Amino acid sequence: MLRQDEYMMTLKDTETGVEIDVLFSPFDPEESARATAIQEEMFGVSVPVIQSEYLLWMYLLSDHEKHYVDGITLIQSGNVNLEKLSQYLQYDGDETCLERLRQWIDKANREQQSSYSRSVRQRKSFKTRS
């Protein structure tokens, strides 16, 4: 175990170096995340994996800088149904998280459109053509 606090524990696989954040929360997203989790195999063990929308929701509730960075990265990955998460937040009446989500989406979009991001994409596409 690398870190632990009241709401989070970080584990690290010694063979691969992959870090896994385990989030603990008294909020509704965690209950919904557990209820809708699907079984996946990880490191040879079948584990429940939550939908990315619930993970991002929990990041939105956190004040940890790492969760802000991870949330932006998750949005940029394109693996989150942002419309679905927006509907969850509206249904829950969580205007604070809804506004934070809008800000994070704007930030993610600005970063993806930056000249640095374009140059990284160009380098990657050049490598694949070579």
Side-chain angles (χ1 to χ4, degrees):
M1 178 168 35
L2 296 177
R3 300 180 279 283
Q4 182 173 354
D5 66 22
E6 185 178 357
Y7 298 106
M8 182 182 91
M9 170 184 356
T10 301
L11 306 172
K12 185 173 185 176
D13 182 83
T14 54
E15 291 180 26
T16 64
V18 172
E19 291 185 16
I20 301 169
D21 292 334
V22 180
L23 303 173
F24 307 101
S25 168
F27 304 106
D28 178 64
E30 186 165 325
E31 288 299 318
S32 298
R34 276 196 296 269
T36 61
I38 57 170
Q39 291 296 121
E40 295 283 340
E41 188 162 317
M42 185 178 297
F43 308 119
V45 177
S46 180
V47 295
V49 176
I50 67 171
Q51 295 175 28
S52 55
E53 293 80 19
Y54 291 114
L55 178 60
L56 184 54
W57 188 353
M58 287 186 274
Y59 285 161
L60 289 165
L61 291 167
S62 173
D63 290 328
H64 289 279
E65 181 68 22
K66 179 180 180 358
H67 292 158
Y68 169 74
V69 173
D70 290 346
I72 299 295
T73 302
L74 188 57
I75 291 168
Q76 290 172 335
S77 76
N79 293 323
V80 180
N81 183 331
L82 297 170
E83 181 60 35
K84 183 177 180 181
L85 177 55
S86 294
Q87 289 173 355
Y88 290 163
L89 294 171
Q90 288 171 1
Y91 179 77
D92 192 51
D94 193 338
E95 291 299 321
T96 302
C97 277
L98 197 53
E99 180 55 32
R100 186 177 276 186
L101 176 61
R102 289 182 192 117
Q103 292 170 359
W104 288 17
I105 291 169
D106 288 343
K107 171 80 170 155
N109 289 336
R110 282 193 312 275
E111 284 183 6
Q112 283 186 319
Q113 295 169 6
S114 74
S115 60
Y116 175 76
S117 296
R118 280 193 300 274
S119 67
V120 168
R121 283 193 300 274
Q122 287 172 343
R123 274 197 314 276
K124 286 181 180 179
S125 74
F126 178 74
K127 283 182 183 180
T128 59
R129 287 184 284 184
S130 305

